[in-house]
Amino acid sequence: MPPRRKRTRSADVATAEVSGGRAGADDRGIRLTAWLQERGCDLDGLEIRPDADGGLGVFATKTLPAMSAIGVLPRAVVLDPRDALSSPIAQRALALGASPPFALWLSLAKGLRDSTDPFHGYLSTLPEAPDPCAWSCEERGLLEGTPLSKQVISQRSLLRAEFDRVVPSIAKQISLEIAFDDLIWARGVHQSRCFPLELAEALSAGRGVTISNGGKQPPVLEWAPSAHKGGGRRGAGDRGGEGKACGAKESAALGDSTGCSTSTPGTIAGTLGCMLPLLDMLQHEPGKRITWDASEGAMSFRYPTAVTSGAQLYNNYGPKDSGSMLLTYGFALEQNEMDKVEGLYLGCRGGGSGGGDGAALKAARLEALCEFEIEHRVREDGSLLIGPLSLGGEVDEDDEENGVL
């Protein structure tokens, strides 16, 4: 199970420099721990340190009981996109017609470069190249000829056009230089690390939210009408919408949190996800069952089973195929059961045209293709072209018995 790879940002960021050159994972873990603790995070039983793959991981320093609150984060360490979009640099970008995602990423890029930014201590510990869009030219060349390469080229081109249209005007108003690579980096760290905005909303609301993740299904969100003050597990219940009785349970499956809707200023964040320091340090384990809890002022995560002392803690990034994993997180899994091969075509020689068994076989083939609604066409020479087809997922037992694969 290859985890997410992490690399430090370039050494020209002052706080990422240590004697001897670029900061290593040990230094980044120490600095991130200090930043979290200074802002009131409860890291009891946890340690941030290098993992076996050279990145940063979170490890248990004692046994953590099942369903216990782990890594309690206060509102002060949650990077809420609504706050970021309220920053002066984001407001300037929006006034120039920038999209909300671009304005958010510009705010993150400024936070990386500005040592006085309240999130600089966190941002300066994040990976240098979080996704393929931020890879070097040589590394991106490894993708040449693949659909992923086209997506990367398209994303970089779109961001470049918006950067050239917006940033030069802002640069005249601020004394901080922001390069295109900083925007690419900011986009990557946000899209690879964001969580549902509802978690940030719950921290400032008088109710709680629980998001359950695990198995092959998308996360499921449940709102509670109010938060417990005693620090116990928050109940899952009503989201508080109009026309719902108090306490009525409301659940919803969540999709990705990287999209955005452009509406009124009060809701301009749309579905842009929030960033949760510490929780975003957990590497991926497919199918891992984990619950994210948030209520007024506090965010934590829980596992349904106990975590033994010394064990590494994992998150679940959701059921994604390798293409999606690589594009979003910069890594892929070996033997990913969500993978499939698309665009396959099968050729089948035509049966005889003069009757007999050949004609009967051809007719039977066409009948079967129509029955199972499989795309196909008959060529001029009478042969069949069947497709496009996909390979992947689980084979239904009935189909396997009937020879339909």
Side-chain angles (χ1 to χ4, degrees):
M1 180 200 63
R4 179 191 315 170
R5 302 284 181 176
K6 294 181 172 65
R7 289 186 286 177
T8 56
R9 190 65 178 140
S10 57
D12 56 358
V13 178
T15 56
E17 293 180 351
V18 292
S19 58
R22 181 178 295 176
D26 281 304
D27 175 75
R28 291 185 294 119
I30 292 171
R31 289 190 292 109
L32 179 59
T33 299
W35 184 85
L36 290 168
Q37 291 177 332
E38 287 171 1
R39 284 154 182 78
C41 293
D42 183 357
L43 303 181
D44 182 45
L46 302 178
E47 180 184 15
I48 302 173
R49 60 178 171 83
D51 59 20
D53 293 280
L56 283 178
V58 180
F59 296 81
T61 59
K62 65 178 184 181
T63 298
L64 304 173
M67 295 310 298
S68 60
I70 303 173
V72 180
L73 309 178
R75 174 75 172 81
V77 304
V78 175
L79 207 164
D80 190 328
R82 298 170 298 178
D83 296 336
L85 288 171
S86 298
S87 66
I89 193 169
Q91 286 294 303
R92 289 192 181 103
L94 291 169
L96 291 169
S99 64
F102 183 92
L104 170 62
W105 301 333
L106 186 61
S107 179
L108 297 182
K110 178 262 181 187
L112 174 70
R113 291 295 173 188
D114 183 0
S115 61
T116 66
D117 187 276
F119 283 92
H120 175 78
Y122 160 63
L123 295 171
S124 64
T125 67
L126 298 184
E128 175 186 350
D131 69 346
C133 285
W135 288 359
S136 68
C137 183
E138 181 181 0
E139 290 171 329
R140 296 197 305 273
L142 298 174
L143 302 175
E144 187 174 352
T146 68
L148 182 58
S149 177
K150 295 180 180 179
Q151 289 178 283
V152 170
I153 292 172
S154 174
Q155 291 296 315
R156 287 179 62 90
S157 177
L158 290 171
L159 193 58
R160 179 86 238 188
E162 193 161 11
F163 179 90
D164 291 342
R165 179 171 57 85
V166 173
V167 174
S169 297
I170 295 179
K172 299 175 183 177
Q173 306 173 36
I174 62 176
S175 58
L176 193 65
E177 181 180 351
I178 296 177
F180 177 65
D181 283 348
D182 295 330
L183 258 297
I184 289 289
W185 168 86
R187 172 195 173 278
V189 295
H190 176 253
Q191 292 205 329
S192 65
R193 291 171 174 271
C194 66
F195 289 80
L197 180 61
E198 287 87 349
L199 292 170
E201 291 175 335
L203 294 179
S204 55
R207 56 189 175 180
V209 65
T210 298
I211 300 178
S212 302
N213 207 337
K216 299 178 182 179
Q217 303 302 318
V220 175
L221 178 149
E222 296 178 349
W223 283 94
S226 62
H228 285 293
K229 302 294 185 179
R233 176 172 173 78
R234 289 94 179 180
D238 182 31
R239 184 171 182 167
E242 292 185 17
K244 256 188 190 305
C246 181
K249 184 175 180 180
E250 178 176 334
S251 301
L254 293 175
D256 290 335
S257 303
T258 55
C260 183
S261 62
T262 54
S263 51
T264 63
T267 59
I268 200 169
T271 56
L272 285 171
C274 62
M275 296 178 72
L276 302 174
L278 179 66
L279 185 52
D280 67 1
M281 289 292 169
L282 272 58
Q283 308 290 8
H284 174 55
E285 181 176 313
K288 183 70 175 179
R289 298 196 175 276
I290 183 172
T291 298
W292 311 325
D293 278 345
S295 67
E296 190 174 5
M299 160 75 206
S300 63
F301 58 99
R302 307 167 189 268
Y303 295 115
T305 56
V307 180
T308 60
S309 179
Q312 185 168 358
L313 279 62
Y314 290 94
N315 198 356
N316 183 347
Y317 299 177
K320 296 179 174 65
D321 60 45
S322 291
S324 298
M325 295 291 288
L326 188 58
L327 180 64
T328 305
Y329 305 111
F331 73 91
L333 300 173
E334 295 181 7
Q335 299 180 344
N336 186 348
E337 62 182 26
M338 302 304 299
D339 279 345
K340 60 182 179 180
V341 179
E342 298 182 326
L344 294 179
Y345 287 85
L346 300 180
C348 184
R349 293 177 179 175
S353 59
D357 293 341
L361 177 60
K362 181 178 180 179
R365 286 171 176 167
L366 289 171
E367 181 180 356
L369 291 170
C370 293
E371 179 183 353
F372 292 102
E373 298 181 346
I374 299 174
E375 292 188 50
H376 64 279
R377 64 185 175 90
V378 181
R379 290 173 165 175
E380 292 183 359
D381 62 0
S383 62
L384 286 172
L385 186 64
I386 305 170
L389 305 174
S390 298
L391 292 180
E394 296 181 354
V395 177
D396 186 272
E397 291 183 1
D398 293 334
D399 287 346
E400 189 172 15
E401 290 178 0
N402 295 328
V404 181
L405 298 177

